Amino acid sequence: MRLSGRSRVSRVSRVTRLAAPAVAALLALTTACTGSTVQGRPGASGLRDPYFPKAGNGGYQVDHYRLDLAYDPGDGVLHGKAVITARAEQGLSSFNLDFSGLKVEGVTVQGAGARFNRTGSELTVRPADDLRTGEVFRTEVAYSGKPKALSDPDGSEEGWIPVEDGAFAVGEPVGSMTWFPGNHHPSDKAAYDITLTVPKGYEAVSNGLLRSRTDTGDGRTAFAWHSAEPVASYLVTAAVGKFTVATGQTPSGVPLYTAVAAGEAEDGGPALARLPEMVEWGAERFGPYPFAAAGAIVAPSETLAYALETQTRPVFSGVPNEELVLHELAHQWFGNSVSPKSWKDMWLNEGFATYAEWLWAEEHGGPSAQRRFEAFLAGDTSVDAGAGSDWDAFPPAVPPGPEDISASPVYYRGAMVLHRIRQEAGDAKFFALLRGWVADHRHGNASTADFTAYAERKTGLDLSKVWDAWLYGKDSPR
Ligand code: ARG
Ligand code: ZN
């Protein structure tokens, strides 16, 4: 095969990124490649997300993750095997996975041993044979160690969080790389099969449906969880502990599975008891519940400083209140089914989930959304404590930096954007917009520009003044 000048350059530059012992092997591989018909180049090490440029990787999309994990809360050691089925979007001589900490014991691609090296949270894999554009390929990564949580740019903790007698995994925005290798950016959603093997006496909970619970015969229990609908990797969870488990279904038949940590109110409290009713309410307002299962995980209070809308089964720290249960449920439509294209689009998650709280409240004896909107403008905290926050500090579609993607303007001013649309469009068009948005982007990804274009098309209105003042404008709209 003739190598073009360009690929020679890329092959040389690749050498500079390798550890010395790998260089000789690479040169041998380069020679071997001249006899093959496939020629790849390295996949990008990041997707250039405006806030997390190294999150995710270029050159492939994942269809399915199979994670086989064994965890012992006694010593905090995780043994993992990840089987990642992906499709190459270009010829690949190497590709990256995001993975932080832990020890990689071995990597295979298409069944053959693959070379790998690690720099920061990038795991670079070089398959024995280059991958063709369009090729569906299987990567297996065996790993182990004590997973460590990460500190977010805003100072909160995420990733694998060990607690007194168990562990909880939460991954927004980039924490999932602390416990499994993957393409950790919301733009690459995939199906999951996660098997958690834990010592007898512990429960292990993840997303989706529990396919089986098996006594392994060696003093352990294996829990096999299945998510058929696509999941963004930040929404994948694993929870290990001594839990009270409750199962059931919503009135329309969505299976429920709720796990509450020992030491918390066994039933998860009165707000969680309303989850079935809330699922039905959400389906009426936003369209059919998007997943095959629902539920919740209640971790010991103070496990985390926040809750997370992990798919089908949000994680709460201690018994949640009604607003919080509703908020994390609303994310199943807004964020989980319709996911952000980049971390800049967080207000599409948080503004919508916050507005869902306002809608629930106005239909269940609380203040109207209009009253709340006015209270925010007036800074009147008697209606909503959030009115006393710096909700107008920056425009929600343009957080100043990665430390701001979960800050109050993203939530409150984001919700106020929706209320402004409702004021302009009226209830009929506004609710049709919400339903249409969810239906047309179901199990997909969307950006702010996608939303503003969609809203104008769907309502037939010119909403540029709303976008300018509320979404993008630097000045406070007060
Ligand atoms: N998405 C979560 C929620 O609003 C909050 C996550 C906060 N994470 C953080 N790093 N501050 O339900
Ligand atoms: Zn939220």
Side-chain angles (χ1 to χ4, degrees):
M1 178 207 288
R2 237 189 103 241
L3 295 174
S4 72
R6 191 162 168 265
S7 63
R8 276 188 199 281
V9 170
S10 78
R11 279 172 190 280
V12 170
S13 68
R14 207 148 37 94
V15 172
T16 61
R17 291 172 43 215
L18 296 172
V23 171
L26 174 66
L27 292 174
L29 184 71
T30 306
T31 313
C33 266
T34 55
S36 110
T37 54
V38 180
Q39 192 193 336
R41 55 196 168 87
S45 63
L47 292 172
R48 299 172 187 249
D49 182 280
Y51 293 71
F52 295 88
K54 285 293 177 194
N57 304 284
Y60 66 92
Q61 287 264 325
V62 179
D63 295 325
H64 182 263
Y65 291 86
R66 173 174 187 89
L67 306 177
D68 289 319
L69 307 173
Y71 186 67
D72 185 347
D75 59 13
V77 174
L78 179 72
H79 289 272
K81 187 179 81 172
V83 182
I84 302 169
T85 307
R87 178 181 297 268
E89 292 182 314
Q90 63 174 64
L92 285 170
S93 54
S94 70
F95 60 90
N96 277 23
L97 296 166
D98 302 314
F99 195 39
S100 142
L102 302 177
K103 179 180 187 309
V104 174
E105 283 151 5
V107 181
T108 68
V109 177
Q110 299 293 60
R115 291 183 164 273
F116 63 90
N117 74 299
R118 303 182 73 180
T119 315
S121 51
E122 297 295 332
L123 167 62
T124 303
V125 175
R126 195 164 337 86
D129 295 316
D130 285 14
L131 300 162
R132 279 173 284 109
T133 306
E135 185 172 352
V136 174
F137 63 102
R138 208 175 124 110
T139 305
E140 293 198 17
V141 182
Y143 58 97
S144 63
K146 282 192 194 184
K148 277 199 205 66
L150 294 177
S151 211
D152 274 337
D154 69 7
S156 56
E157 267 207 317
E158 56 161 320
W160 187 272
I161 318 278
V163 296
E164 172 74 23
D165 199 18
F168 297 84
V170 286
E172 186 179 40
V174 293
S176 292
M177 66 182 178
T178 63
W179 61 284
F180 69 95
N183 200 21
H184 290 303
H185 188 267
S187 58
D188 188 4
K189 308 208 286 189
Y192 282 78
D193 280 280
I194 301 177
T195 299
L196 300 165
T197 303
V198 293
K200 243 185 188 155
Y202 289 89
E203 303 286 327
V205 185
S206 184
N207 314 86
L209 292 165
L210 181 60
R211 278 272 175 85
S212 63
R213 177 197 171 114
T214 316
D215 186 334
T216 59
D218 61 357
R220 299 186 301 167
T221 317
F223 296 80
W225 291 92
H226 174 68
S227 294
E229 306 91 3
V231 190
S233 78
Y234 76 95
L235 298 166
V236 178
T237 191
V240 176
K242 303 267 170 66
F243 300 147
T244 304
V245 168
T247 59
Q249 53 174 33
T250 68
S252 72
V254 179
L256 293 164
Y257 191 105
T258 301
V260 180
E264 302 299 321
E266 272 199 4
D267 62 354
L272 207 49
R274 296 189 73 176
L275 182 63
E277 177 196 347
M278 289 178 181
V279 172
E280 303 302 322
W281 176 86
E284 275 166 33
R285 294 296 167 281
F286 313 135
Y289 180 75
F291 304 116
I297 296 166
V298 178
S301 47
E302 309 199 357
T303 299
L304 290 166
Y306 58 88
L308 187 66
E309 63 269 22
T310 41
Q311 197 146 302
T312 69
R313 205 149 286 121
V315 174
F316 300 99
S317 262
V319 167
N321 65 25
E322 194 174 305
E323 289 76 38
L324 200 53
V325 174
L326 196 283
H327 180 103
E328 306 311 338
L329 171 68
H331 275 307
Q332 305 306 314
W333 287 267
F334 304 109
N336 298 13
S337 174
V338 186
S339 305
K341 269 189 185 158
S342 87
W343 289 114
K344 196 171 187 173
D345 304 311
M346 264 293 259
W347 82 277
L348 294 174
N349 290 14
E350 302 305 345
F352 283 62
T354 302
Y355 200 66
E357 290 178 59
W358 296 12
L359 292 173
W360 168 267
E362 77 177 0
E363 292 182 39
H364 294 85
S368 67
Q370 175 63 26
R371 177 138 183 261
R372 221 187 273 254
F373 180 81
E374 288 166 7
F376 270 83
L377 282 176
D380 174 3
T381 55
S382 69
V383 179
D384 188 321
S389 72
D390 60 351
W391 63 265
D392 58 346
F394 61 80
V398 200
E403 64 280 15
D404 303 306
I405 64 166
S406 296
S408 356
V410 174
Y411 287 71
Y412 300 125
R413 190 162 157 184
M416 293 168 88
V417 171
L418 292 174
H419 194 72
R420 284 291 298 113
I421 300 169
R422 187 179 176 191
Q423 289 175 333
E424 297 296 321
D427 278 9
K429 278 188 179 170
F430 176 72
F431 285 104
L433 166 62
L434 289 187
R435 272 192 292 273
W437 175 246
V438 166
D440 290 358
H441 300 83
R442 184 176 160 86
H443 298 321
N445 292 83
S447 67
T448 299
D450 292 332
F451 178 73
T452 55
Y454 188 90
E456 297 201 335
R457 206 162 63 237
K458 193 82 180 171
T459 61
L461 299 171
D462 174 0
L463 296 165
S464 51
K465 292 212 173 84
V466 175
W467 314 141
D468 290 349
W470 287 87
L471 205 45
Y472 295 112
K474 284 211 168 60
D475 295 338
S476 170
R478 277 196 221 241

